[in-house]
Amino acid sequence: EKMGAVIASVAAGLKNNPGAPKLLTGTGKDDVHLVIVATADRGLCGGFNSNIVRLARQHIDGLLRDGKTVKILCVGRKGRDQLRRQHGQLILDTVDVMGVKRIGFADALKIGERVLDMYAPGEFDVCTIVYSQFKSVSSQVPTSQRLIPAPVETAEETTGHIYDYEPDEAEILAEILPRNVSVQIFRALLENVAGAFGAKLIAMD
């Protein structure tokens, strides 16, 4: 959340600047969408995985109806297993975190670097991640969050302040925007871990 607030503050005056980083301004097109669907690798957690996949399907189907090209990257085997029945031909790959005992930033960084490696040569225009936001043990909310181009609110909406920066905003954003992709993926993975444990507790009860 703090990373988002910092980016919003720095990017406030650069949104429509032709010199701004492409991770902020986008490619200028809206034709190809990468959808990262993050679920758990295991079941026995009620409707936790199915609820995430349902939201992902709604998002994907909406894009397809609008004539967009969709590419899917699954994080977690449960999402892959459910999506491949209807959208198997759209799935690029599955990131399996089954053997990871504790999710760390390094896990998110690998996914983030792969996404950036695809974005740099123009393999997609927009990237969205679908995961489950943790509210409480009994409440997990399927959530869709755009990663690229970075969503930017005005600085006043997020921090209430406007700052001057050194070096200039474009240089700062060129450094932190790529990292923000991995940070937001990490956030989604952590939310999923907490939500899956909560859902398992409720399912077992």
Side-chain angles (χ1 to χ4, degrees):
E1 289 173 353
K2 180 59 68 177
M3 178 73 92
V6 169
I7 288 174
S9 180
V10 178
L14 278 182
K15 183 67 175 169
N16 299 312
N17 189 319
K22 197 167 71 166
L23 284 172
L24 179 68
T25 61
T27 62
K29 298 183 294 183
D30 183 33
D31 301 331
V32 184
H33 287 248
L34 175 66
V35 181
I36 303 173
V37 182
T39 61
D41 269 309
R42 300 175 186 272
L44 300 177
C45 46
F48 178 81
N49 294 309
S50 297
N51 291 336
I52 296 171
V53 173
R54 184 179 299 112
L55 178 61
R57 276 206 193 100
Q58 291 171 358
H59 181 64
I60 293 164
D61 290 342
L63 292 171
L64 293 174
R65 281 195 301 271
D66 290 339
K68 310 297 183 184
T69 298
V70 178
K71 301 177 180 181
I72 302 172
L73 178 62
C74 294
V75 180
R77 296 189 300 174
K78 288 298 180 180
R80 176 203 63 194
D81 292 346
Q82 294 186 41
L83 282 171
R84 66 182 175 187
R85 300 168 197 163
Q86 185 177 351
H87 298 302
Q89 74 280 8
L90 305 179
I91 298 175
L92 299 177
D93 198 5
T94 301
V95 179
D96 189 345
V97 291
M98 188 80 162
V100 180
K101 291 186 177 180
R102 178 174 298 193
I103 292 290
F105 183 70
D107 301 298
L109 186 61
K110 290 177 184 176
I111 301 170
E113 288 174 344
R114 178 168 183 177
V115 170
L116 293 173
D117 286 344
M118 292 175 62
Y119 186 63
E123 294 183 28
F124 66 86
D125 302 309
V126 179
C127 177
T128 303
I129 187 167
V130 183
Y131 65 99
S132 188
Q133 188 176 16
F134 178 82
K135 294 294 186 181
S136 68
V137 169
S138 59
S139 176
Q140 303 88 35
V141 181
T143 301
S144 173
Q145 178 184 347
R146 195 180 76 206
L147 297 179
I148 301 172
V152 177
E153 303 170 42
T154 64
E156 290 84 353
E157 288 174 339
T158 53
T159 66
H161 304 285
I162 296 178
Y163 299 95
D164 290 325
Y165 292 92
E166 279 190 27
D168 63 31
E169 288 92 337
E171 197 171 336
I172 293 172
L173 286 172
E175 189 71 31
I176 65 174
L177 281 172
R179 186 168 184 83
N180 180 60
V181 172
S182 297
V183 167
Q184 298 307 324
I185 292 172
F186 187 39
R187 179 233 182 110
L189 296 181
L190 291 177
E191 298 261 12
N192 268 3
V193 169
F197 277 128
K200 284 180 181 181
L201 284 171
I202 299 300
M204 293 304 160
D205 285 344

